[in-house]
Amino acid sequence: MIRILGIVGSPRRGGNTDILVERVLAGAREAGANAETVYLGGLTVKECDGCHACWQGRECTKNDDMNALYRAINDADALVLGTPVYWYAPTALMKGFVDRLVYYNCDRNRGGVRGKKAAVVVPYEEDDQATASPVVDFFVRSLRYLEMELAGTVVVGGMARKGQVLEREDALLVAAKLGQELASGRGTVKAI
Ligand SMILES: Cc1cc2nc3c(=O)[nH]c(=O)nc-3n(C[C@H](O)[C@H](O)[C@H](O)COP(=O)(O)O)c2cc1C
């Protein structure tokens, strides 16, 4: 059974990121996958300082919740990464998490992510599509560096209020479809 790990980088539970990531995972479950969500806001993920103990086969010296997350990522077949736009960037929670993926920048650990698919979910408030571009580009480049495959994007503007994405049936459908495709091992890039 395909295992999918959703990672919510918004500190706001029940917000637009949470809803969209959950829709992707619900689509994946409908298609037979096992899917679970991790809320970065509920975890301690300290900053990477580049000590590279992880490259020597040792546990991260930060000794925080990221060690369990590495195991969860290694066990997953695909990731769903969600963050709202905060000041034309990912949230500090998501950036701190991706910084810690330096763990995979060595032959010893790279197999934990190489070739795996990842979907990206990005709600934001403004109507200008360019607002989300730096965040999408951040994921495109980081995933490529990690030899992961971008399976699809759900990028939804105009999301000013908590839960507002529930009014966007088109976005919810695209999210669920992306989850189905992840579960079937396929995936096509879609943007809203
Ligand atoms: C600290 C902060 C910074 C934000 N910066 C931007 C921004 O630069 N551009 C934008 O369009 N929306 C911005 N927003 C709005 C959020 O991206 C938007 O409300 C999003 O839907 C929130 O998702 P959530 O409900 O998952 O937290 C910001 C919100 C916060 C709290």
Side-chain angles (χ1 to χ4, degrees), residues 10-12 15-18 84-89 123-126 131 159-163:
S10 169
R12 187 154 74 164
N16 298 312
T17 311
D18 191 2
V85 174
Y86 270 21
W87 291 108
Y88 311 100
Y124 60 102
E125 179 171 351
E126 296 169 37
T131 293
M159 296 295 104
R161 287 177 282 109
K162 183 178 182 182

